[in-house]
Amino acid sequence: MIARIGKKLDHYYYHQFVGAAFYGVVLGIAMNYFWQPGHIYSSGFNGLAQLIDTLTGGRFPVAWGIACANLPLLLLAWLTLSKRFAIFTAMAVVLSAIFVPLFATKTVLTSDPLMCAIFGGGLNGMAVGTALRCGLGTGGLDIIGMILKQHFRTKVGSVNLAFNALIMIGAGLTYGWQYALYSIIGVVVSAHFIDVFYTHQQQIQEMIVTNKPEMMCEHIQQKMRRGVTIIDSAHGGYTGKDKSVLLTVVTQHELGDLREAIKEVDPQAFYSESKVEHTGGRFFEPEP
């Protein structure tokens, strides 16, 4: 019995634990080795926590700000997204609040604000994108982004970018406008890395030309929960043979499984891929 429970926990929850811990560690490194030495503000609620820490003269530390600012949005995630997502997001928030002071250091790798903005933003985007890919959020704007994505198909990185104007104004008023501009560079880098690592939101249209349409359709649906449209009566211009054309849309994360399914059914099938900007109708979105 214990072995079965352990196996189930490992199967469903292990990667969420790892994602939360990875996020906390990487955020602690970015905050202490890049953002604070370079006077760079992070994006989202982490940047808000930095701003509060600065305005209170350190009396309300960044770790407390991260925990307190995220509490209302964790409740929102519990009510609107899913309880599992809210629990693991809370874990990521708590671990980040622990690791930020734990990684506090007097070692300065570089005080160049541009280098600190680029590397801090890159680390943050990698951490956030990986956490989202593992099925948990990191609090703050990520929860808002997930809600908007669920209803409006809006990319999470773009949502983060849109909500950070006030944080950048705060950075400008606190450290000077040149640091606000450097912080904006960090936010842009972070948003880009989020979209690179969080591949679940990137949609790909696949066109498959095959003479085994029914078998191909069945095999794709067995491997992933995706609909397939079959267009019959296609005609090969070179071979002169009748073919069928299959159309489906998957996420970037599912692309490897789709290619494997195609090769298993028909190694000679021709297929092409193109990025999709928007889908409507009944495109399946897994629960966060």
Side-chain angles (χ1 to χ4, degrees), residues 129-239:
T130 301
L132 291 172
R133 185 167 180 169
C134 289
L136 63 143
T138 57
L141 297 181
D142 296 328
I143 294 175
I144 297 173
M146 292 291 289
I147 294 171
L148 292 178
K149 174 180 175 289
Q150 196 172 66
H151 292 88
F152 304 106
R153 313 288 188 187
T154 306
K155 286 192 175 182
V156 177
S158 301
V159 172
N160 263 324
L161 193 61
F163 277 89
N164 280 306
L166 291 178
I167 303 298
M168 297 306 105
I169 292 172
L173 293 173
T174 304
Y175 290 127
W177 292 108
Q178 68 173 21
Y179 291 102
L181 297 176
Y182 285 127
S183 296
I184 290 172
I185 293 174
V187 171
V188 172
V189 172
S190 179
H192 173 71
F193 273 81
I194 289 172
D195 287 334
V196 168
F197 279 85
Y198 183 39
T199 55
H200 289 71
Q201 65 177 335
Q202 300 169 20
Q203 298 173 353
I204 304 294
Q205 178 176 281
E206 192 89 4
M207 183 186 74
I208 309 164
V209 181
T210 179
N211 55 7
K212 301 177 180 179
E214 301 296 340
M215 188 182 301
M216 183 76 72
C217 180
E218 181 180 354
H219 202 61
I220 290 173
Q221 291 174 343
Q222 285 177 352
K223 275 190 170 289
M224 60 195 70
R225 188 176 172 180
R226 294 298 173 199
V228 181
T229 299
I230 301 175
I231 304 174
D232 291 318
S233 303
H235 191 72
Y238 177 75
T239 63

Side-chain angles (χ1 to χ4, degrees), residues 82 88 125 151 248:
S82 74
F88 283 106
H151 292 88
T248 188

